[in-house]
Amino acid sequence: MFFRPLPKSREMLEDEVLEVDLDQSLECGNVSLGRVAIYISGKGKKNKFYIPYSAISKAFKKEDRKAKGDKFYLEITYDGSTPLVVDMNYEEDIDIVIAYLAYNFPEIRTVTEKDEKLALKARHEVDRKALRKLSDSALEGVNELRKEKNFMEENGFLFSYRLSLRSLAIRKSKNRIAFFFLFILGLLMSLFSLYFLTLSYSGNMLFSMLIGILLIYIVFAYEILPTKRNRRKFAKKEGEKVNSEIKVLLDSYDGTFQLPPDKAHPLVADMMISILRLGKAESIHEALEILSFSLDSDTANEYADKIKKYVSPLFSEGKR
C-alpha cells in the first residue's frame, strides 16, 4: 500500500487489511466507512487517518452553537476517552455515519444522554395519553406497523442511508439556479476584465477580474456545478441504487407491506403507531395522512420535533 493511512488509536491494522477495507469502503464526506475501520481525511490528504471500530466507544452528532446558522460536526471517542472532532461538510453525512455505526456496531454508543432522556420522555407521554381500548381497525394497524417496523430495523441502515441521501439531494437543489447565475456572472466579469487588461492596464479591471474569479471559486466551493465532488449528483445516483435494494427487500416481506415504499422507515412506522394509539386515526392510511400534514407544525416535545424534521425529506418529493 503506497499511501498507508496512519493509526489514530493504539490499535493498528495490517497493510493488507487496510487495502481491502478501503477498497470496499463507503465514502461519506470527510470520512470513509470500511468494514473494520473508519477513515478520516486530513489537510490535503484523503483517508489520512484510521480508527478501528473496536477502538471506538462513542460517536455523536454535535452542534456548534457559536457558529452562524446550523453547524454540525462528528465527535468520535476512541481508546477509552480520547475525543476526535471531525469537521463534516453536511449534516446528512454525519447522519449516514451515525446510522452505519448504530446498525453495524451496536456496542458503539451513538445517542447522547440528553437524546435518550428526551426519547424516553416522549414514549412515556404517548403511553400516558394512549387510549386504553382501540378500535379493531386501529389495533390491526398498530400490530401491522410494529411488524413492519421490526422488519425494517433488521436492515435499518439501508432506510436511514436513503433518507440522508434524499435530504442531501434536496439541500443541493435549493438555490442551484441562483448559484448558476453567480457562476455566469463571475465568468463574464473575469473574461471581460482580462480582455480589457490586454488592451491597457487598469487597476479597476484587475480588481474586477479578481472578484469574478472569487465568484467562480465560491460556486465550485459549494459544489453547484457537476464536478467530481458534486454531492448532489452522487446523492441522486446512489439514491436510485438504494431504492432498488429497498424494493427487493420489501418484496420479500411476509404479507402485504402497508407503508408506501418511498416513505418506508422505522421512525415513520413508530410515529404512525403513536398516532393510532392516541386515537387520532383509525387506519394506517389515515395515520400516514395525519403525519404528512403535521410535519411542518412544531410541538412542545423537543424529541418529536427533531424526529419530524429528520424524516421530512421522505415527504418532500413534491417540493423538489
Side-chain angles (χ1 to χ4, degrees):
M1 197 173 190
F2 191 71
F3 293 107
R4 187 183 191 277
L6 303 174
K8 270 283 186 182
S9 66
R10 291 189 294 266
E11 186 177 340
M12 300 175 64
L13 300 174
E14 298 293 332
D15 284 1
E16 295 78 10
V17 175
L18 286 172
E19 188 170 1
V20 173
D21 198 44
L22 259 177
D23 187 56
Q24 298 175 341
S25 66
L26 170 66
E27 186 178 339
C28 187
N30 289 329
V31 304
S32 294
L33 300 167
R35 296 185 179 181
V36 296
I38 184 171
Y39 301 88
I40 302 148
S41 298
K43 291 183 178 180
K45 189 174 186 300
K46 184 179 177 183
N47 300 327
K48 184 175 182 179
F49 306 103
Y50 75 88
I51 306 175
Y53 295 123
S54 54
I56 300 174
S57 56
K58 302 175 187 176
F60 298 144
K61 176 170 71 172
K62 294 291 188 73
E63 182 178 3
D64 185 359
R65 299 187 181 277
K66 295 181 181 179
K68 293 182 179 179
D70 295 331
K71 175 64 177 177
F72 296 89
Y73 59 88
L74 176 67
E75 183 178 289
I76 299 172
T77 301
Y78 63 96
D79 285 353
S81 60
T82 306
L84 174 67
V85 175
V86 183
D87 189 19
M88 304 285 277
N89 293 326
Y90 303 108
E91 182 183 359
E92 291 81 4
D93 288 333
I94 304 176
D95 290 333
I96 293 172
V97 174
I98 296 298
Y100 184 87
L101 296 178
Y103 289 109
N104 293 286
F105 304 94
E107 66 276 9
I108 298 175
R109 187 171 180 178
T110 56
V111 181
T112 63
E113 289 184 9
K114 179 185 177 182
D115 284 341
E116 281 183 343
K117 290 179 180 178
L118 287 173
L120 188 61
K121 181 181 177 181
R123 258 185 249 117
H124 285 331
E125 188 71 12
V126 172
D127 289 340
R128 186 176 65 85
K129 294 181 178 180
L131 299 180
R132 293 183 180 273
K133 185 173 177 59
L134 297 175
S135 65
D136 291 342
S137 60
L139 183 59
E140 183 182 344
V142 168
N143 291 334
E144 174 59 29
L145 285 171
R146 282 174 175 163
K147 181 183 173 185
E148 294 183 8
K149 178 189 173 185
N150 292 335
F151 176 79
M152 288 186 287
E153 284 181 338
E154 292 177 4
N155 297 272
F157 174 67
L158 199 60
F159 294 95
S160 295
Y161 186 38
R162 177 183 62 175
L163 176 53
S164 296
L165 289 171
R166 186 170 296 185
S167 179
L168 184 63
I170 292 172
R171 176 193 288 260
K172 298 304 292 179
S173 294
K174 292 179 179 178
N175 301 324
R176 199 161 184 261
I177 296 177
F179 274 99
F180 177 75
F181 280 110
L182 191 66
F183 171 77
I184 296 298
L185 177 62
L187 185 63
L188 290 175
M189 286 181 66
S190 300
L191 291 176
F192 276 111
S193 301
L194 182 62
Y195 172 73
F196 285 113
L197 276 173
T198 57
L199 298 179
S200 62
Y201 176 79
S202 169
N204 290 334
M205 286 296 103
L206 181 61
F207 183 68
S208 177
M209 185 175 71
L210 291 174
I211 291 177
I213 293 173
L214 178 63
L215 291 176
I216 294 173
Y217 172 78
I218 290 173
V219 172
F220 274 99
Y222 277 87
E223 303 173 16
I224 300 301
L225 294 179
T227 63
K228 290 182 180 179
R229 296 178 63 248
N230 192 322
R231 294 289 284 159
R232 180 180 180 272
K233 187 176 181 181
F234 162 81
K236 185 178 179 181
K237 184 178 180 180
E238 190 73 3
E240 292 172 354
K241 175 185 172 184
V242 174
N243 278 330
S244 299
E245 292 179 18
I246 288 177
K247 184 180 183 304
V248 172
L249 177 66
L250 296 184
D251 286 341
S252 68
Y253 180 71
D254 182 18
T256 303
F257 201 83
Q258 297 294 312
L259 268 175
D262 62 325
K263 294 176 176 57
H265 192 284
L267 287 175
V268 173
D270 199 39
M271 295 173 77
M272 290 170 62
I273 289 170
S274 297
I275 290 172
L276 287 166
R277 291 186 63 208
L278 292 171
K280 296 180 179 180
E282 289 294 316
S283 67
I284 291 177
H285 178 71
E286 286 182 13
L288 185 63
E289 283 192 338
I290 290 171
L291 176 60
S292 62
F293 282 114
S294 67
L295 288 174
D296 294 330
S297 59
D298 293 332
T299 67
N301 190 298
E302 185 180 348
Y303 175 78
D305 288 339
K306 288 176 71 172
I307 297 302
K308 284 163 68 173
K309 180 183 176 183
Y310 177 65
V311 303
S312 61
L314 292 174
F315 297 81
S316 302
E317 64 276 0
K319 301 176 185 178
R320 283 183 286 170

